């Protein structure tokens, strides 16, 4: 006769009642074990803490804890001037630092009611699309790495280095660029940027094709990612997700097409929408978005080659002069001194500007009461809302599936905790 | 010449030299990557700037299996106890590289929640400057660490906070008069008496607990 | 619209006409009772008087055809310690968006130090963590919130960092919990 596990245990306990503590054994058969996928873990990208109540390998209940990287940037926005705060924008979504720079510059330019020149606008669009590509590369590579597919990481990181070389040619730094300025850009682009972009746009789609042969029709990848972490359309809107996560769930919304800024209304590109909302769909959406970004890059490069106007806007309040003029002419030196020591005088008002970042909607809300420093500087980070969405929709999922969902959401701790 | 007449190569050296050679060429890093410097650690470990050329290929995410801790990124006061636990779990011999400005000295973040440098809570061997340091910088720091290991079998970091000092730097003190928070300038004694004036400034309440 | 290349973007961004119509409708409906203004790029800001008023406005915006608001972009607050925007201490800001008509609205609410706000996490579940962050940084309590506790700072932290009187360098570290783990195996 087959006995259950509990019955056999009770028999063995009856036999050796003196040596075994009855209470301790049955404690181990309590289905709810609390574990910590802790702040230092190879699969949590950055410092996230998932406290899970497990029943075997299924997560019954979770609470997430964040704040392990809270550096107080919003408070720093009230202490530093508008120019000095540019440095902190890179450290928000550090995989695509240029988009944060440009979004912040856009917000302050809206407060000052400045419209930038055409040349500056095309450079900014090139920067944004290039950072979108490198952020999506990181997301796909790390997602695959968590599930054991290391080859993708080695393959794709080489293209990140090519993009980094181009970005370094533009502004001097690979990761924390601080390239945009209020009213213009820090440097003009180098002469070989268009050749490098052309080579990148020719070779990168082929590398993407090669990567897709490894993943898209791979039986193991499909089994591990299809149907995992399914997010319905209503849930995606309820929890305020944005970006590829929202589009993979079937909602056709892209800030570049629906609330266009700069010249996105003129450029041909497609918005990628998928149906199911699982990890496989997010991977497909990101891969296809990389191809669309290449398309946008080609068009922007052509436009930039023909836009030969000035880089800086012709506004006395924000114009940063060239160093040659600063060292030779008196008025220019005083102007330079005033801009950097006192700051820009921004008139009172407020503004919320949102930009389509690779993770979602990156927004800056600035309240100004006049003067060189902001009164309130709020950063709207998409990873914050995505992580909250994950806390609410992860019940009943096994641990390895939870890790792959975490990888597909592209949670970046710098943005989450600010 | 050996017994049967063939030419055998034997070189004799001190045991410590052999131990140093073995230790410096097989440093297994544990990248404790919190923020932006973590991306540069990933770039260093990938194929363009290969860190495995210098023996640091095996990246172990468990502190019990690693001997070099690369602290890359900002360490906040909430994360400091976690980092100290990880450092304590590593077995001797162990070395610490403080990568980037944030872990060396707090970096650009002098705010209410950032620890101003990990040398408040653990002895650091190499400080790498940069925000983030480029991959060549991290490779240079690993080579510099190899040079330091070559100099002697004992660690010689600049500041050596003991366990009690690390705890003190991470706790606030309650006295009958009220809360005493560790102040910005002082807080712990700076090293083994090398900087005597600074260590004199530590108030008695903080020193005695 | 001041984004780029003069006024050429005005003709090609189709959502701007809808936004203008929405602004006009808000102005017609609410300008008598509540204060309505436009910000620097012609986005509408509506100052509501109190929490029931806020819920009524959100209900209306969810059902009306031009608006069809179904998405909460952001929920935040700022400190009004110099009383320029009103008599009370804090201002709560709700940034709402419609995914169908692409129209956006900003609602602002003055709230005092001693008052409690009411949560909107039953309408927009995304507001759960956002309200926790406002509580952590400012100390505004949200009644009806399922789980109101600190999110960014440690639970034992004293003070609300984003208030204007909190000094930016005032640190409060915690390591009390470490002793219990390491006492068993003290490592030098």
């Amino acid at each position: 006769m087959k006995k259950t596990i509990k019955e056999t245990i009770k028999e063995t306990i009856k036999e050796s009642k003196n040596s075994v503590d009855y209470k301790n054994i049955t404690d181990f058969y309590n289905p709810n074990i609390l574990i910590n996928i802790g702040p230092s873990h190879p699969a949590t990208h950055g410092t996230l803490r998932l406290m899970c109540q497990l029943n075997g390998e299924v997560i019954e209940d979770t609470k997430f804890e964040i704040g392990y990287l809270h550096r107080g940037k919003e408070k720093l926005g009230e202490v530093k001037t508008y120019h000095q705060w540019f440095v902190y924008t890179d450290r928000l979504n550090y995989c695509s630092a240029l988009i944060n720079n440009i979004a912040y510059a856009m917000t302050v330019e809206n407060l000052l009611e400045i419209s930038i020149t055409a040349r500056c606008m095309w450079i900014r669009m090139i920067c944004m699309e290039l950072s979108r590509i490198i952020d999506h590369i990181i997301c796909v590579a790390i997602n695959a790495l968590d599930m054991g597919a290391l080859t993708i990481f080695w393959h794709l990181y080489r293209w990140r280095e090519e993009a980094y070389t181009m970005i370094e040619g533009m502004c001097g730094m690979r990761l924390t660029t601080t390239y945009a300025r209020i009213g213009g850009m820090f440097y003009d682009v180098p002469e070989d940027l268009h050749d490098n972009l052309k080579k990148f746009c020719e070779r990168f789609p082929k590398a993407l094709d090669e990567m897709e042969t490894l993943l898209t029709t791979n039986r193991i990848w499909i089994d591990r990612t299809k149907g995992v972490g399914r997010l319905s359309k209503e849930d995606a809107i309820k929890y305020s997700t944005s970006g590829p996560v929202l589009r993979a769930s079937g909602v056709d919304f892209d800030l570049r097409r629906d609330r266009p800024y700069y010249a996105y209304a003129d450029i041909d590109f497609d918005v990628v929408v998928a149906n199911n909302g699982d990890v496989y769909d997010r991977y497909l959406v990101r891969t296809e978005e990389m191809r669309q970004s290449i398309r946008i890059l080609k068009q922007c490069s052509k436009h930039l080659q023909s836009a030969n106007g000035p880089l800086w806007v012709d506004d006395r309040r924000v114009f940063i002069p060239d160093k040659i003029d600063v060292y030779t002419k008196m008025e220019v030196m005083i102007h330079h001194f005033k801009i950097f020591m006192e700051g820009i005088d921004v008139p009172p008002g407020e503004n919320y500007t949102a930009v389509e970042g690779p993770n979602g909607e990156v927004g800056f809300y600035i309240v100004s009461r006049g003067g060189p420093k902001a009164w309130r500087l709020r950063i709207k980070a998409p990873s914050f809302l995505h992580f909250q969405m994950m806390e609410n929709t992860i019940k009943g999922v096994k641990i390895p599936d939870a890790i792959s969902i975490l990888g597909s959401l592209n949670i970046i701790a710098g943005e989450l905790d600010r | 010449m050996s017994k049967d007449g063939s030419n055998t190569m034997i070189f004799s050296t001190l045991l410590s030299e052999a131990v140093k050679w073995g230790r410096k060429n097989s440093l297994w890093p544990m990248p404790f990557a919190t923020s932006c410097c973590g991306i540069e650690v990933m770039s260093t470990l990938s194929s363009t700037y290969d860190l495995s050329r210098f023996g640091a290929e095996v990246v172990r995410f468990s502190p019990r299996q690693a001997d070099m801790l690369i602290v890359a990124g900002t360490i906040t006061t909430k994360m400091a106890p976690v980092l100290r636990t990880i450092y304590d779990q590593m077995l001797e011999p162990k070395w610490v590289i403080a990568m980037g400005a944030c872990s060396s000295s707090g970096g650009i973040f002098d705010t209410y929640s950032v620890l101003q440098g990990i040398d408040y809570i653990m002895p650091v061997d190499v400080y790498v400057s940069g925000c983030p340091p480029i991959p060549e910088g991290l490779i240079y720091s690993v080579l510099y660490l190899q040079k330091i290991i070559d100099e002697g079998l004992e660690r010689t970091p600049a500041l050596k906070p003991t366990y009690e000092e690390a705890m003190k730097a991470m706790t606030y003190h309650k006295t009958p008069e009220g809360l005493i928070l560790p102040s910005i300038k002082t807080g712990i004694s700076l090293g083994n008496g090398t900087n005597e004036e600074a260590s004199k400034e530590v108030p008695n309440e903080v020193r005695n607990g | 619209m001041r984004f780029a290349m003069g006024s050429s973007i005005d003709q090609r961004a189709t959502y701007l006409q809808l936004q203008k119509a929405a602004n006009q409708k808000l102005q017609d409906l609410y300008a008598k009772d509540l204060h309505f203004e436009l910000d620097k790029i012609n986005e509408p800001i509506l100052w509501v008087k109190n929490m029931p008023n806020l819920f009524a406005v959100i209900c209306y915006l969810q059902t009306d055809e031009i608006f069809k608001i179904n998405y909460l972009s952001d929920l935040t607050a700022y400190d009004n310690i110099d009383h320029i925007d009103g008599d009370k201490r804090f201002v709560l800001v709700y940034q709402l968006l419609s995914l169908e008509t692409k129209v956006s609205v900003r609602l602002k609410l003055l709230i005092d130090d001693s008052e409690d706000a009411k949560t909107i996490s039953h309408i927009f579940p995304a507001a759960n963590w956002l309200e926790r962050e406002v509580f952590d940084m400012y100390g505004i309590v949200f009644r009806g919130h399922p789980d109101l506790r600190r999110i960014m700072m440690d639970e034992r932290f004293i003070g609300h960092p984003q208030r204007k009187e909190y000094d930016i360098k005032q640190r409060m570290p915690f390591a009390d919990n470490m002793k219990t783990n390491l006492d068993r195996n003290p490592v030098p």
Side-chain angles (χ1 to χ4, degrees):
Chain A
M1 215 173 54
K2 260 197 176 176
K3 292 185 194 161
T4 62
I5 298 174
K6 272 198 174 164
E7 280 172 359
T8 41
I9 292 288
K10 271 191 189 165
E11 277 182 3
T12 48
I13 288 169
K14 265 189 202 161
E15 283 163 7
S16 58
K17 206 169 185 180
N18 293 332
S19 52
V20 168
D21 193 358
Y22 182 72
K23 210 176 175 188
N24 270 350
I25 290 283
T26 50
D27 270 352
F28 283 95
Y29 288 90
N30 185 5
N32 285 319
I33 301 176
L34 188 69
I35 70 158
N36 225 354
I37 305 183
S40 164
H41 193 268
T44 63
H45 316 294
T47 51
L48 319 164
R49 183 177 180 198
L50 319 177
M51 301 183 271
C52 310
Q53 239 179 0
L54 296 182
N55 177 8
E57 195 145 315
V58 175
I59 295 178
E60 299 255 302
D61 198 9
T62 59
K63 283 267 184 241
F64 290 175
E65 187 173 346
I66 64 175
Y68 288 97
L69 200 65
H70 178 65
R71 300 180 269 200
K73 285 186 192 160
E74 296 185 358
K75 183 106 185 151
L76 274 168
E78 299 168 13
V79 169
K80 307 271 178 184
T81 64
Y82 287 100
H83 256 132
Q84 288 173 327
W85 205 77
F86 261 112
V87 184
Y88 299 98
T89 55
D90 301 316
R91 278 91 176 156
L92 281 170
N93 183 345
Y94 34 79
C95 299
S96 61
L98 286 160
I99 289 192
N100 304 328
N101 291 148
I102 293 170
Y104 174 67
M106 250 165 75
T107 317
V108 184
E109 281 158 11
N110 282 345
L111 268 179
L112 287 164
E113 300 188 15
I114 289 176
S115 48
I116 52 172
T117 60
R119 188 168 173 86
C120 180
M121 187 196 73
W122 291 114
I123 295 178
R124 283 188 182 182
M125 284 175 70
I126 288 181
C127 290
M128 286 202 272
E129 294 309 315
L130 207 54
S131 358
R132 193 184 310 273
I133 291 177
I134 56 181
D135 200 329
H136 283 322
I137 288 179
I138 281 201
C139 181
V140 171
I142 302 290
N143 200 7
L145 187 104
D146 283 341
M147 290 193 249
L150 263 167
T151 322
I152 313 294
F153 181 75
W154 304 126
H155 260 291
L156 287 180
Y157 247 69
R158 186 196 153 225
W159 295 100
R160 278 203 90 219
E161 298 293 331
E162 301 256 342
Y164 268 170
T165 317
M166 277 193 273
I167 294 175
E168 197 176 4
M170 283 200 276
C171 65
M173 188 65 197
R174 293 155 45 106
L175 194 102
T176 51
T177 47
T178 326
Y179 188 26
R181 294 285 182 273
I182 301 168
M185 304 296 268
F186 195 25
Y187 295 116
D188 206 339
V189 292
E191 291 109 10
D192 55 356
L193 178 74
H194 298 289
D195 294 330
N196 287 341
L197 266 178
K198 200 167 155 201
K199 278 186 223 164
F200 186 76
C201 295
E202 276 164 24
R203 293 189 208 160
F204 184 62
K206 293 184 195 151
L208 263 185
D209 288 336
E210 217 179 83
M211 180 209 81
E212 278 205 276
T213 59
L214 283 173
L215 284 183
T216 310
T217 45
N218 191 340
R219 186 78 237 161
I220 304 177
W221 182 255
I222 293 179
D223 276 343
R224 276 210 73 170
T225 55
K226 219 172 183 149
V228 168
R230 197 167 285 234
L231 185 69
S232 63
K233 206 167 164 173
E234 294 79 26
D235 270 347
I237 299 178
K238 258 190 346 181
Y239 291 110
S240 289
T241 51
S242 49
V245 178
L246 183 68
R247 288 197 281 277
S249 298
V251 180
D252 189 8
F253 185 74
D254 187 333
L255 276 171
R256 293 174 289 175
R257 183 201 56 192
D258 297 326
R259 291 175 65 93
Y261 47 93
Y262 292 163
Y264 279 106
D266 285 337
I267 299 252
D268 270 331
F269 69 100
D270 294 323
V271 172
V272 189
V273 180
N275 281 328
N276 293 325
D278 51 13
V279 175
Y280 187 63
D281 278 358
R282 286 177 208 148
Y283 152 75
L284 285 176
V285 165
R286 288 203 162 99
T287 317
E288 189 56 38
E289 266 191 18
M290 282 198 262
R291 286 189 221 273
Q292 297 300 319
S293 287
I294 294 277
R295 215 170 133 188
I296 300 177
L297 270 178
K298 283 186 195 158
Q299 295 170 52
C300 286
S301 179
K302 248 189 283 182
H303 282 277
L304 179 60
Q305 275 169 327
S306 56
N308 285 322
L311 182 67
W312 278 88
V313 73
D314 191 20
D315 192 333
R316 293 287 305 157
R317 297 175 291 173
V318 297
F319 176 68
I320 298 179
D322 265 345
K323 281 287 185 170
I324 298 178
D325 292 334
V326 172
Y327 289 136
T328 49
K329 297 181 194 160
M330 190 61 175
E331 310 85 30
V332 182
M333 187 171 92
I334 296 176
H335 176 72
H336 185 268
F337 182 82
K338 272 189 162 316
I339 282 194
F340 283 111
M341 295 305 280
E342 290 177 357
I344 301 172
D345 192 14
V346 172
E350 65 179 51
N351 187 20
Y352 175 78
T353 308
V355 150
E356 177 76 22
N359 248 350
E361 179 189 333
V362 178
F364 285 92
Y365 174 63
I366 300 185
V367 175
S368 152
R369 297 259 170 109
K373 302 183 185 176
W375 183 256
R376 168 77 166 121
L377 212 160
R378 157 81 180 169
I379 306 156
K380 189 241 163 171
S383 302
F384 191 73
L385 298 162
H386 291 177
F387 204 46
Q388 186 188 208
M389 182 271 296
M390 189 178 160
E391 181 183 26
N392 289 325
T393 54
I394 209 174
K395 302 198 171 62
V397 167
K398 296 200 171 71
I399 294 185
D401 292 342
I403 300 294
S404 46
I405 296 172
L406 185 61
S408 75
L409 291 177
N410 202 18
I411 308 286
I412 296 189
E415 216 178 20
L416 184 72
D417 293 333
R418 282 159 267 136
Chain B
M1 284 282 239
S2 68
K3 266 192 196 166
D4 49 346
S6 61
N7 273 332
T8 324
M9 290 275 285
I10 300 176
F11 62 95
S12 63
T13 179
L14 297 168
L15 182 63
S16 60
E17 296 293 314
V19 164
K20 276 188 232 164
W21 173 84
R23 277 183 187 171
K24 75 176 186 185
N25 284 323
S26 71
L27 288 164
W28 286 11
M30 177 182 168
F32 190 83
T34 41
S35 72
C36 349
C37 285
I39 306 290
E40 290 295 42
V41 167
M42 289 203 288
S43 282
T44 314
L45 292 166
S46 71
S47 49
T48 320
Y49 305 95
D50 203 3
L51 196 57
S52 69
R53 296 178 274 173
F54 308 105
E57 172 168 23
V58 183
V59 173
R60 291 303 197 193
F61 286 102
S62 162
R64 296 275 189 203
Q65 301 168 3
D67 53 5
M68 176 170 78
L69 180 66
I70 303 182
V71 183
T74 319
I75 301 294
T76 57
T77 50
K78 204 171 176 183
M79 194 67 179
V82 177
L83 178 61
R84 179 74 207 186
T85 320
I86 289 193
Y87 176 74
D88 286 332
Q89 281 181 329
M90 280 168 69
L91 309 169
E92 295 282 341
K94 54 188 172 183
W95 293 273
V96 175
I97 294 184
M99 178 181 175
C102 289
S103 57
S104 309
S105 68
I108 54 178
F109 300 103
D110 191 2
T111 63
Y112 50 87
S113 64
V114 172
L115 193 69
Q116 300 291 294
I118 60 171
D119 45 15
Y120 276 98
I121 56 175
M122 61 174 63
V124 173
D125 292 295
V126 184
Y127 297 86
V128 193
S129 58
C131 192
I134 60 174
E136 282 114 342
L138 185 61
I139 293 176
Y140 180 69
S141 78
V142 172
L143 294 175
Y144 194 78
L145 185 64
Q146 289 181 349
K147 240 196 298 184
I148 290 178
I149 296 174
D150 241 353
E151 284 168 10
L153 277 177
E154 282 187 17
R155 278 179 80 184
T156 53
L159 296 176
K160 271 195 238 180
T162 59
Y163 183 71
E164 284 76 25
E165 281 170 352
M167 287 295 121
K168 281 222 176 77
M170 290 194 287
T171 47
Y172 65 94
H173 307 279
K174 257 189 180 157
T175 61
E177 290 91 33
L179 279 175
I180 296 182
L181 307 171
S183 73
I184 310 157
K185 289 176 210 152
T186 63
I188 56 159
S189 60
L190 295 171
N192 297 327
T194 47
N195 204 345
E196 283 179 34
E197 288 164 339
S199 55
K200 273 185 202 146
E201 281 177 4
V202 178
N204 277 330
E205 297 93 4
V206 175
R207 205 193 283 272
N208 299 331
Chain C
M1 274 299 176
R2 311 270 171 178
F3 286 121
M5 295 207 296
S7 61
S8 49
I9 195 129
D10 286 350
Q11 290 125 21
R12 275 170 284 117
T14 48
Y15 82 99
L16 281 172
Q17 282 101 12
L18 259 177
Q19 184 81 52
K20 262 193 205 160
N23 293 354
Q24 195 58 45
K25 191 158 187 187
L26 273 179
Q27 197 157 19
D28 295 334
L29 272 174
Y30 287 115
K32 284 168 270 170
D33 313 314
L34 314 166
H35 182 55
F36 175 81
E37 59 187 6
L38 291 174
D39 80 354
K40 294 279 179 165
I41 45 171
N42 299 330
E43 302 264 315
I45 304 174
L46 192 62
W47 288 86
V48 287
K49 279 188 269 198
N50 46 22
M51 297 302 308
N53 199 353
L54 174 76
F55 284 116
V57 171
I58 291 183
C59 256
Y60 169 69
L61 290 174
Q62 276 178 322
T63 48
D64 187 63
E65 297 138 10
I66 298 188
F67 291 100
K68 284 201 212 148
I69 298 279
N70 55 358
Y71 189 82
L72 177 75
S73 270
D74 201 11
L75 201 172
T76 177
Y78 64 89
D79 202 341
N80 186 24
I81 200 169
D82 46 4
H83 296 295
I84 288 183
D85 282 335
D87 281 336
K88 305 188 182 174
R89 173 77 193 265
F90 297 114
V91 177
L92 275 172
V93 181
Y94 296 81
Q95 182 77 30
L96 303 163
L97 177 65
S98 162
L99 292 180
E100 289 160 26
T101 58
K102 334 287 184 205
V103 160
S104 78
V105 182
R106 193 176 315 155
L107 302 175
K108 289 168 90 160
L109 169 65
L110 277 163
I111 198 161
D112 217 352
D113 211 349
S114 48
E115 276 176 39
D116 288 343
K118 207 156 179 284
T119 180
I120 62 168
S121 48
H122 48 276
I123 313 178
F124 298 111
N128 194 327
W129 276 20
L130 290 164
E131 286 172 354
R132 272 177 71 186
E133 194 189 344
V134 171
F135 166 67
D136 189 8
M137 293 285 132
Y138 285 99
I140 300 174
V141 175
F142 288 88
R143 263 183 304 123
H145 195 273
D147 187 20
L148 193 67
R149 58 194 160 93
R150 285 189 184 265
I151 189 170
M152 297 288 195
M153 310 305 301
D154 197 290
E155 280 134 7
R156 296 159 287 179
F157 194 81
I158 298 171
H160 295 282
Q162 199 91 35
R163 291 190 176 194
K164 286 285 175 180
E165 71 253 10
Y166 194 89
D167 186 33
I168 191 170
K169 294 191 187 176
Q170 186 176 325
R171 277 176 267 271
M172 188 181 293
F174 300 93
D176 297 333
N177 54 355
M178 281 190 64
K179 279 251 179 220
T180 52
N181 290 331
L182 293 176
D183 262 354
R184 284 183 232 139
N185 296 315
V187 178

